[in-house]
Amino acid sequence: MSRIGKLPIKVPSNVQVEVKKQTIHVSGPHGKTFRKISDLISVEFSDNKILVTKVDNTRIANQLYGLTRTLINNMVIGVSEKFENILQLQGVGYRAQVKDGNLILNLGYSHPVLISIPQGIEIKVEKNVVLIITGFDKELVGQLAATIRHKRPPEPYKGKGILYKGEIIKRKVGKSGK
């Protein structure tokens, strides 16, 4: 039995939750979102708490139990506080800027890399090399950060590339010059 699934989800006073059959709608000051829930899981909302329970005691229901609770918890946290991911550009001439709903990255290629910013996501650029990605959907924020990082992953010899904040790149020794 899932230890995570048993825990009730506390809902802040500024967040509204509505459960309709197998769909849960969550809205708050930063946005609104919804998610369909499997028939093997039931969700109840009362007294500013959300309880997730299993309908069956099958293997698939056990797998979905903790997952569903975590996804709903991420929805509640996202619409009340927002999620944040910070990326750093490291390398000579690496720059970023936001223009007309697009992120423009200069990463040492012969052309600038253009990434369109999805709706519900905000990107701030500080000092031309620090990207702050915020949004209410944790999955979308993480996926956009991974997509940006994929354009120039950090390399182990000089440490150049796009890194997550606080990430340490294990450096390799280059060729020995004789």
Side-chain angles (χ1 to χ4, degrees), residues 74-88:
N74 286 343
M75 290 167 56
V76 170
I77 292 170
V79 297
S80 64
E81 298 173 19
K82 280 194 174 181
F83 290 101
E84 181 179 82
N85 223 327
I86 300 173
L87 297 173
Q88 295 175 329

Side-chain angles (χ1 to χ4, degrees), residues 28 35 61 67-68 77-78 85 88 90 105 112 116 138 142 154 167:
R35 185 173 292 276
L67 172 69
T68 304
I77 292 170
N85 223 327
Q88 295 175 329
Q90 233 174 14
L105 299 169
S116 63
K138 186 175 186 178
E167 182 180 11

Side-chain angles (χ1 to χ4, degrees), residues 67-176:
L67 172 69
T68 304
R69 189 253 180 218
T70 302
L71 291 174
I72 294 171
N73 190 37
N74 286 343
M75 290 167 56
V76 170
I77 292 170
V79 297
S80 64
E81 298 173 19
K82 280 194 174 181
F83 290 101
E84 181 179 82
N85 223 327
I86 300 173
L87 297 173
Q88 295 175 329
L89 304 176
Q90 233 174 14
V92 177
Y94 287 14
R95 292 188 313 271
Q97 64 181 358
V98 176
K99 192 179 210 179
D100 300 329
N102 289 321
L103 177 67
I104 302 168
L105 299 169
N106 293 343
L107 301 172
Y109 297 121
S110 61
H111 59 283
V113 177
L114 225 78
I115 298 173
S116 63
I117 301 171
Q119 192 172 3
I121 299 288
E122 297 173 20
I123 297 181
K124 288 187 222 165
V125 180
E126 292 180 354
K127 301 177 187 173
N128 290 332
V129 294
V130 177
L131 299 170
I132 301 172
I133 305 166
T134 58
F136 64 86
D137 187 356
K138 186 175 186 178
E139 183 180 353
L140 196 57
V141 169
Q143 183 59 50
L144 183 61
T147 302
I148 293 170
R149 186 177 192 268
H150 182 72
K151 300 299 178 186
R152 181 68 93 170
E155 54 98 11
Y157 295 102
K158 293 183 180 176
K160 293 170 34 173
I162 302 174
L163 295 86
Y164 291 110
K165 182 183 178 190
E167 182 180 11
I168 298 170
I169 302 300
K170 191 171 181 183
R171 303 288 294 269
K172 289 184 178 178
V173 178
K175 293 180 181 178
S176 60

